[in-house]
Amino acid sequence: MESVSIHIKPFHELTIGEECILYRATIGKFSGKFPTYVVGVGVEDDCLRCRSVFPVSVPKKRRRDVAEYMARANYDMKCGTLQLNFEDGTVIAYCSCMPSVINEEGNRAVEFMFAFTPTLLDAHSETLLKVIAGESSPLEAYKEFERRVENA
């Protein structure tokens, strides 16, 4: 993660829906298909929540396959999830932590969340794009991802 550059811009308690957005950043210098990702960190239901947005929306006809790919990727994932909004095709990486962790870890927890969610998207970007384009089945794409991780 040393090559990741983070440019954090604090908001002054900007509220979107019920969520209070504390920070928004563009994070860059990734090795996958996209050089930067937009990340938002906020407080919702007394948890610190972080979302990174994948820069490609999923067309309606590919959403079921992308959802299957994500189910395979999310199974047994120790931290965070990949999520798909079936209404608009938005893909996000998501993670959260409880206030007790924030109080104990302070800025380290926030820094981890800012780096983790775009790194998760970046790791899956190549195979996720193949599923979106219809070039690979969800199973084939996920097996390719696993092989790449094992050989890294």
Side-chain angles (χ1 to χ4, degrees):
M1 281 209 212
E2 294 170 26
S3 65
V4 174
S5 74
I6 303 176
H7 303 287
I8 300 173
K9 296 182 179 179
F11 284 132
H12 297 285
E13 303 229 2
L14 171 67
T15 302
I16 300 175
E18 294 182 20
E19 182 175 2
C20 177
I21 302 295
L22 301 177
Y23 299 97
R24 182 176 185 270
T26 300
I27 300 180
K29 294 188 179 176
F30 287 96
S31 60
K33 291 287 185 181
F34 302 99
T36 61
Y37 294 90
V38 174
V39 181
V41 173
V43 176
E44 183 180 352
D45 300 327
D46 294 327
C47 289
L48 187 64
R49 300 178 186 266
C50 183
R51 293 172 180 89
S52 293
V53 180
F54 194 64
V56 175
S57 289
V58 180
K60 278 189 179 187
K61 64 182 181 180
R62 304 300 310 152
R63 291 179 190 167
R64 289 194 188 277
D65 284 346
V66 169
E68 180 185 334
Y69 175 87
M70 289 179 171
R72 293 177 184 282
N74 287 333
Y75 181 77
D76 209 27
M77 193 181 293
K78 293 180 178 40
C79 182
T81 60
L82 294 172
Q83 299 180 359
L84 171 65
N85 180 327
F86 268 89
E87 299 301 315
D88 66 8
T90 300
V91 172
I92 64 167
Y94 172 85
C95 70
S96 64
C97 68
M98 300 302 291
S100 59
V101 173
I102 300 165
N103 291 338
E104 292 171 17
E105 296 296 324
N107 287 340
R108 287 179 35 201
V110 175
E111 290 170 5
F112 168 79
M113 292 174 82
F114 261 113
F116 175 76
T117 55
T119 301
L120 180 60
L121 284 177
D122 192 62
H124 287 276
S125 64
E126 188 174 326
T127 48
L128 188 54
L129 285 171
K130 287 181 178 181
V131 175
I132 291 170
E135 296 171 2
S136 288
S137 73
L139 178 59
E140 291 168 341
Y142 187 68
K143 284 182 177 181
E144 179 183 331
F145 171 79
E146 285 182 320
R147 284 190 301 272
R148 193 172 65 242
V149 169
E150 287 173 6
N151 294 328

